[in-house]
């Protein structure tokens, strides 16, 4: 037994640089990861300029809890493969682009009367 054993090593013989590298559990070199800011932005609910104007004109104020409910409804619509969705909540209606997570337009109960909603492929009702 002429090989030298060093404390902290489980093998005898010369140490090469390849032996000192930690094995990678998954190959992530081919898949670019999104920066945190992009992931955060992808999960936020956005308002288009048109929707912001309509909210202001119609006196609609959305609270944080309501925004969370709309975001949850968006997640449900996305899970079903929706693209443009009508979200009905209390006495308000929102047309939402699901992919971009953007509210396209907003209506109050007075604006919804006798209205026909077009260019939507789904509806989510929040009770």
């Amino acid at each position: 037994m002429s090989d030298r054993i060093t404390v902290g090593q489980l093998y005898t013989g010369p140490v090469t640089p390849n032996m000192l590298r930690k094995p990678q559990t998954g190959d992530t070199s081919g898949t670019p990861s999104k920066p945190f800011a992009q992931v955060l932005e992808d999960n936020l609910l956005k308002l288009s300029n048109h929707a912001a104007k309509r909210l202001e004109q119609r006196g609609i104020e959305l609270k944080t809890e309501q925004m969370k409910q709309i975001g949850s409804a968006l997640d449900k619509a996305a899970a079903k493969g929706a693209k443009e969705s009508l979200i009905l909540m209390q006495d308000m209606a929102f047309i939402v682009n699901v992919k971009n997570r953007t509210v396209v337009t907003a209506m109050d109960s007075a604006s919804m009367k006798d209205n026909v909603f077009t260019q939507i492929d789904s509806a989510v009702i929040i009770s």
Side-chain angles (χ1 to χ4, degrees):
M1 186 170 242
S2 63
D3 290 333
R4 189 178 85 170
I5 298 177
T6 307
V7 175
Q9 292 180 341
L10 300 176
Y11 48 85
T12 61
V15 178
T16 62
N18 289 340
M19 296 174 87
L20 296 176
R21 288 195 187 124
K22 290 184 180 180
Q24 292 184 355
T25 55
D27 183 22
T28 58
S29 61
T31 57
S33 61
K34 288 185 179 179
F36 178 74
Q38 182 66 37
V39 173
L40 183 63
E41 186 177 310
D42 290 347
N43 291 321
L44 291 178
L45 182 64
K46 296 174 256 201
L47 294 174
S48 69
N49 289 335
H50 177 77
K53 287 178 188 175
R54 292 295 174 255
L55 288 169
E56 185 179 330
Q57 285 175 350
R58 295 170 179 158
I60 301 171
E61 289 185 26
L62 292 175
K63 298 178 182 145
T64 306
E65 183 60 34
Q66 291 172 320
M67 294 291 275
K68 287 180 184 177
Q69 289 177 329
I70 294 170
S72 173
L74 259 175
D75 293 337
K76 290 176 185 177
K80 296 287 186 174
K83 294 177 184 162
E84 295 284 332
S85 189
L86 169 67
I87 296 178
L88 296 172
M89 181 171 66
Q90 298 162 354
D91 60 345
M92 298 174 282
F94 305 94
I95 304 287
V96 182
N97 181 300
V98 177
K99 180 182 174 188
N100 297 332
R101 298 186 65 84
T102 304
V103 176
V104 177
T105 192
M107 289 163 270
D108 58 358
S109 58
S111 303
M112 284 190 295
K113 291 191 190 296
D114 297 326
N115 247 342
V116 176
F117 299 99
T118 59
Q119 297 182 355
I120 61 169
D121 60 7
S122 61
V124 181
I125 300 170
I126 301 173
S127 54

